[in-house]
Amino acid sequence: MKRTLIGLLVGVAALGLVTWLVTRKPAAPAPRTWSAEGYATKSQLEAEKQKSILEASEAVEYPVERVVLERDGETITLARQGSGKELTWSLETPMASPAVRYQVEQIVRLFKEETGSVYSKHVDDSELARYGLDPAHRVGLKLLADGSVWHGVDLWIGKVETAESQGGEGEPAPSDTWVALREDPNTVYRIAGKDLGTPVRAKLSELRDKKIFDVKADDLVHIEVAAPSGAKVVLDGERTETPGTKPEEPPKHTVTWTLTEPGGFSVDDTAATLARNIAGARTREFVKTAEAPTDALGAEVWKVQARTFDGHELALEIAAGDEDPVWARVPGRDELLQLDKFTAQNLRKTLADVRDKTLLDLSADAVSRIRFAPAAGGEVVVARSGEAWRFEKPAERLPADPQSHLASLLTSKANRYARPEELEAARVALDAPEFVSELDAGDKRYVLSFGPSMTAEPYARQRWARLTLDGVAGDPLLVADFTAEKFRKGLDDLRLKKVFDITPDSIERLTVTPPGGEATTLVREGGALVPSPLPEGKKAKAQAVTTMSTTLATLKAKAVEPGKPPATVGLTPDAVTTVEATLSGGDKLVLELGPKPESGDPWAIARTGALAGVPVQLNGFQADNLRKQVSDLVE
């Protein structure tokens, strides 16, 4: 009986062994390591290490063209455009929008160097949460180049943990990241020394650039801006391309704008500025429609539309109010935008803003007479006399020199024209102008009237102006105070300030004699002025000599005082330094420099030239340049 029981037990055991051998599952293969080769070469990495902090270093270019993130049931696709300085990133999903290059490159540059695992193991689905790799917490990361997965980076990104090898004293501990391959989510890998989790978990609002449109200003060739009233301006541009100066440089594009609607007006550079404002417009925040006030845009809306040279359409609706921020919307998007007040104002443009605002459409050669209205005293009138200018009122023997002021007048622009709701206030201000200026050109008289300066915003430091031509008044314009002041000049502002009408090359001999001292003489030899006699063993300091002759040729007075007695400012025979020059044509000029005053700038008096006999005040450095002695001019 006992033997029978033992035999039976042995049989059962044998049967169980056979059954186990037949039905057992094959053992899982030992976990393998995972690695991805970096895109930077060893030499590139070494070169980066050799660069000091202060040295500019070009970032190593990467081949990655797309980054795909999957998280929280949403797919985020980022695409690269261009390369080098022209490189940009944009979102393709969940919406089309510019992306923040820095944020995307935080992800891409994680793989600049080789990335590899230091540990791996097989886990069940129930264990994935321990590594942050369960479906609720993991983030999918895929890098693409040339349409294919780049170097096997098609991963699930899990937890980031403090590295097992701690950092040195005073240094932050490095981070390790748990990852899994998309094709094998149950094998987990520990990537040493890299935090892959933080960059891929950046919020969509951080990845998304606040730039509203992914376009360049010189891509735009059509703009429409419609006010709530229905008034509209339409601008059309002609785009031209100029090849780069070097083969590797991209071509440059220029757009020449025309005001198409309303007709009959020319346009100024405000059109190009408006194109830049559209292309560069940014929002403070993107707000989901459901989270924004239902009446955010209000009943009155500005509409801005634009088109690129390749037919891409842009549109933006902007609230009419000036509350900060100003609400706006891109039609078709389930979100609203919050614009800074100045951004909205830079987009809401009317005819008053975009039409040409040049105050005077004249050439300098055409102007024969100018009437200025100084802040104090009577009016000053200058008139052309041949190639020169003279004072017509008040009469004065000294020549006038309005040329620099005239050039400034003819390039002056208003900020904008008056808008319909401002016309009455502008007319009231101009019915009693603060001052008036006139310019004569041929048989036409241009009269500019300027109202008083305003202090209340948004008009502070501005005033109304109006051009009247041949008795016909133009539309009121809003000008800055500093622009208006260009037309308000006094007698001294308009006097000739250049002491001598010569060039440095015309000086053949220059002698400077201080009171009771030894003269310094420069003589032209071989095309250059040199000290004469030149001390033995010395040579001329070319720069010092050139500075001396150039100062005399370009000498301009700070002030011209025809009524000032010379003796009152130190211009007496025993105190002056005499500067004498002989010119290439044989003419001579003489300048007497007064002594250095204890305070302020020195005075001088020319004995030849247009300002002969009139005390003039010079800048101190000019006088110092002319008082040089031989020891200052040789080495």
Side-chain angles (χ1 to χ4, degrees), residues 329-348:
R329 176 178 61 199
V330 175
R333 292 186 187 175
D334 184 23
E335 63 186 7
L336 271 73
L337 315 176
Q338 290 184 325
L339 307 184
D340 286 319
K341 182 178 176 179
F342 72 86
T343 299
Q345 291 173 340
N346 287 340
L347 297 173
R348 298 183 306 205

Side-chain angles (χ1 to χ4, degrees), residues 4 16 66 80 143 251 256 260 271 286 345 471 497 506 515 539 543:
T4 302
R66 264 181 172 69
R80 189 188 85 186
L143 303 183
T256 303
T260 307
F286 297 96
Q345 291 173 340
K497 299 294 198 306
S506 68
K539 64 177 182 179
Q543 186 60 50

